[in-house]
Amino acid sequence: MLHNQNNMPLFDALKAYHERKVIPFDVPGHKHGNGIPEFAEFVGKKVLEIDVNSMKPLDNISNPVSVIKEAEELMAEAYCADHAFFQVNGTTSAVQAMIMSVCKPGEKIIIPRNAHKSATNGLILSGALPVYIQPETNDRLGIAMGVSLESVEMAIAKNSDAKAVFIINPTYYGATSDVKEIVKLAHKHGMVVLVDEAHGAHFPFHPELPQSAMELGADMAAVSLHKTGGSLTQSSVLLLNEGLIDKNTVKTILNLTQTTSASYLLMGSLDVARKMLVTQGEKVLSKILKLTKNARDEINKIDGFYAFGKELIGKPGVYNFDETKLGINVTGLGLTGFEVYDLLRDEYNIQVELGDVLNILAIVSVGDGEKSIEALIKALRDISEKYRGSQGTQIKYAKIALENPEVIVSPRNAFYARKKLVKLDEAEGEVSGESIMAYPPGIPIVTPGERISKEMIYYIKFLKSQHSMLTDTQDPYVENIKVLGI
């Protein structure tokens, strides 16, 4: 059944609630912002007047039967899926739900080692056993790309009892794998395909972009509309194609972990973002693609920078490329990406998505325009003229982060095992009891159950020297690490 994609059932219900001027004797306790006037004055009273709780006119995310259900059906149709589930705990909860819907404790899942921390936490929650495949790498850029069809085929051949194949579409920097062929291969062996499409929310809405996972036959996909689709931070959607996975199982799993007090601000923004993408997406994204193409041309004229793009297609791990991801290699400056990231923020008031050892990443999305792009290009020209460093250890540290660790214990067993705290400098050879990662991008350097190597320790200390934001350790300063043992 085709729906009218101009409709916004949930957002319209929110507006109708607001117009009624209901007297609230339910939660939340701020009562339309009256309880926090300073905050209401800053963000606007209307925002807080629609920050409400579930009620009959607004439906309930745990068992949607009216306006949320209608909004989810519109979302599913927009993404060529059979079902859509709104998420207010971010794509993290969607990724975890995908894994938990398919894998029972002790069952295998084939997964690239450059998956986000949400996938690692999904392994802990489900008890699934990871079969890691090494993503292809680009030595010049020092970053992981997609996975090859051959590496997936080899993993399936060695693990015919695996329940699922997990794919990233696209990677943080915009590379996609051959999802269509991977889906065919996995389905041939009775395995489901789960896709982390956190950075591909815009894919279905422009012909020059890579195809979305649902279009390519994947069974489930977790999509961050807040990242590139225009909805509010933390709002996301879980998509399902019927067949190998039962819709009611997914619903049950979601109700295990998702809040019963879902934010209507977040869900309402999903409804509006979906309408915008379907009705205006091609026009808006045409403008964005033109801006990023022009930006690459201009940046590549600046000494010390290389803005990479579609010329990577055909190289290992790059089946297609998302040009809205403006990745810029900075090795020609003799600076690290971390240093350029800090310079842009501190000296030019520009916040890019991330910096790594050799690159920075600017995400260009539906809210960008010419002025913001021009400001970035101008800042990079100025940095090229004023700031230079020594290339020294850049390449060495970039390559360390890409090595595939040795898995000794399953993530779940390591998480629940007895642990002790040791100095990071003394942890070589130990089995990690916790994760360490730089955020963003949130891809673990080490996860629970993996052997800690000398190279990992060096790389973590290098990240600290670059003032990178390290997360997930008990010790906030990462001087110590929890390892398995009494």
Side-chain angles (χ1 to χ4, degrees):
M1 181 179 72
L2 293 178
H3 298 79
N4 184 349
Q5 287 288 338
N6 284 294
N7 290 343
M8 298 179 292
L10 180 53
F11 186 57
D12 287 344
L14 267 177
K15 290 191 290 184
Y17 169 87
H18 183 264
E19 289 168 4
R20 287 179 58 193
K21 301 189 184 302
V22 172
I23 300 170
F25 280 100
D26 60 349
V27 296
H30 63 69
K31 303 300 175 79
H32 293 177
N34 294 321
I36 46 172
E38 186 176 0
F39 189 71
E41 182 181 357
F42 182 76
V43 303
K45 191 90 164 41
K46 187 177 287 188
V47 171
L48 296 175
E49 287 170 349
I50 59 169
D51 179 36
V52 293
N53 195 33
S54 297
M55 60 188 75
K56 281 186 179 179
L58 296 179
D59 210 353
N60 188 297
I61 197 171
S62 298
N63 187 38
V65 295
S66 60
V67 291
I68 295 177
K69 178 176 181 288
E70 292 167 22
E72 289 181 336
E73 288 172 350
L74 284 161
M75 186 71 77
E77 183 179 277
Y79 278 90
C80 302
D82 293 323
H83 303 286
F85 304 88
F86 281 6
Q87 304 287 289
V88 295
N89 296 8
T91 302
T92 288
S93 66
V95 168
Q96 292 168 355
M98 287 198 302
I99 295 173
M100 293 172 71
S101 296
V102 174
C103 296
K104 298 182 179 68
E107 293 182 336
K108 294 178 183 176
I109 180 171
I110 296 168
I111 186 168
R113 184 52 182 78
N114 62 327
H116 186 264
K117 63 177 277 189
S118 56
T120 303
N121 292 341
L123 298 175
I124 293 170
L125 290 169
S126 67
L129 301 176
V131 176
Y132 286 124
I133 48 178
Q134 181 67 39
E136 301 296 320
T137 60
N138 184 300
D139 288 340
R140 177 183 178 186
L141 302 176
I143 55 177
M145 298 297 184
V147 295
S148 68
L149 180 63
E150 291 74 22
S151 65
V152 176
E153 192 169 24
M154 189 178 301
I156 289 175
K158 293 180 178 179
N159 300 274
S160 59
D161 55 341
K163 295 295 181 180
V165 176
F166 187 97
I167 298 296
I168 304 164
N169 188 59
T171 64
Y172 226 123
Y173 280 102
T176 69
S177 304
D178 190 351
V179 177
K180 184 176 182 178
E181 291 303 316
I182 291 171
V183 168
K184 286 181 182 178
L185 177 65
H187 285 175
K188 180 181 176 182
H189 290 84
M191 300 178 189
V192 304
V193 178
L194 311 177
V195 181
D196 178 351
E197 205 162 59
H199 288 271
H202 53 305
F203 279 5
F205 307 105
H206 199 283
E208 291 181 28
L209 293 169
Q211 285 184 280
S212 70
M214 292 289 101
E215 292 175 287
L216 295 170
D219 299 286
M220 295 184 81
V223 181
S224 295
L225 267 85
H226 71 91
K227 284 184 168 67
T228 58
S231 66
L232 294 182
T233 295
Q234 205 173 308
S235 60
S236 187
V237 65
L238 178 59
L239 303 170
L240 169 67
N241 277 332
E242 286 183 313
L244 298 178
I245 304 171
D246 177 57
K247 174 191 173 185
N248 292 319
T249 299
V250 177
K251 181 179 173 182
T252 300
I253 295 295
L254 288 172
N255 283 335
L256 276 177
T257 57
Q258 182 152 255
T259 178
T260 55
S261 302
S263 166
Y264 280 87
L265 288 171
L266 300 185
M267 291 190 291
S269 76
L270 285 171
D271 208 16
V272 179
R274 182 268 313 154
K275 176 194 171 184
M276 183 279 295
L277 287 168
V278 175
T279 61
Q280 304 173 50
E282 186 166 348
K283 178 182 176 182
V284 171
L285 289 165
S286 290
K287 181 192 75 171
I288 295 306
L289 287 166
K290 182 179 178 180
L291 286 174
T292 54
K293 288 172 185 174
N294 290 340
R296 280 187 173 84
D297 290 342
E298 292 302 312
I299 292 167
N300 285 330
K301 295 174 186 175
I302 305 172
D303 185 37
F305 293 109
Y306 162 47
F308 47 92
K310 282 199 166 185
E311 72 279 359
L312 296 180
I313 294 174
K315 294 184 183 299
V318 189
Y319 179 76
N320 206 340
F321 188 84
D322 173 15
E323 288 189 290
T324 69
K325 307 295 189 296
L326 189 55
I328 305 166
N329 184 268
V330 303
T331 50
L333 292 178
L335 299 174
T336 66
F338 300 113
E339 290 168 329
V340 177
Y341 172 97
D342 287 342
L343 281 170
L344 284 168
R345 183 193 61 240
D346 298 339
E347 301 297 328
Y348 301 92
N349 207 31
I350 292 173
Q351 181 65 59
V352 293
E353 175 67 12
L354 66 85
D356 64 27
V357 183
L358 304 181
N359 312 280
I360 58 170
L361 174 64
I363 291 180
V364 186
S365 61
V366 295
D368 279 297
E370 288 184 18
K371 287 187 177 180
S372 59
I373 295 292
E374 287 171 0
L376 175 62
I377 295 169
K378 183 179 178 181
L380 294 176
R381 286 196 187 108
D382 201 53
I383 289 173
S384 176
E385 293 174 4
K386 293 181 178 178
Y387 299 94
R388 292 283 165 167
S390 171
Q391 291 183 339
T393 57
Q394 290 174 313
I395 302 297
K396 171 187 172 184
Y397 283 110
K399 289 184 178 179
I400 286 172
L402 302 176
E403 294 179 357
N404 217 9
E406 181 186 5
V407 179
I408 307 300
V409 181
S410 76
R412 183 184 180 92
N413 288 344
F415 181 82
Y416 285 108
R418 296 185 69 177
K419 304 177 186 72
K420 60 184 179 181
L421 200 64
V422 300
K423 295 285 186 184
L424 179 65
D425 283 331
E426 300 170 3
E428 181 183 348
E430 300 280 3
V431 178
S432 181
E434 59 185 352
S435 294
I436 300 180
M437 69 201 69
Y439 188 88
I443 297 169
I445 300 160
V446 62
T447 67
E450 292 176 349
R451 180 85 68 192
I452 300 168
S453 67
K454 177 174 63 177
E455 289 78 15
M456 286 177 181
I457 296 170
Y458 284 164
Y459 187 62
I460 291 164
K461 291 172 74 172
F462 171 71
L463 291 175
K464 289 176 64 176
S465 75
Q466 294 291 308
H467 308 291
S468 182
M469 189 184 299
L470 296 175
T471 68
D472 281 41
T473 50
Q474 187 179 84
D475 177 0
Y477 305 105
V478 201
E479 299 292 336
N480 306 286
I481 183 171
K482 293 183 79 173
V483 298
L484 270 56
I486 297 173

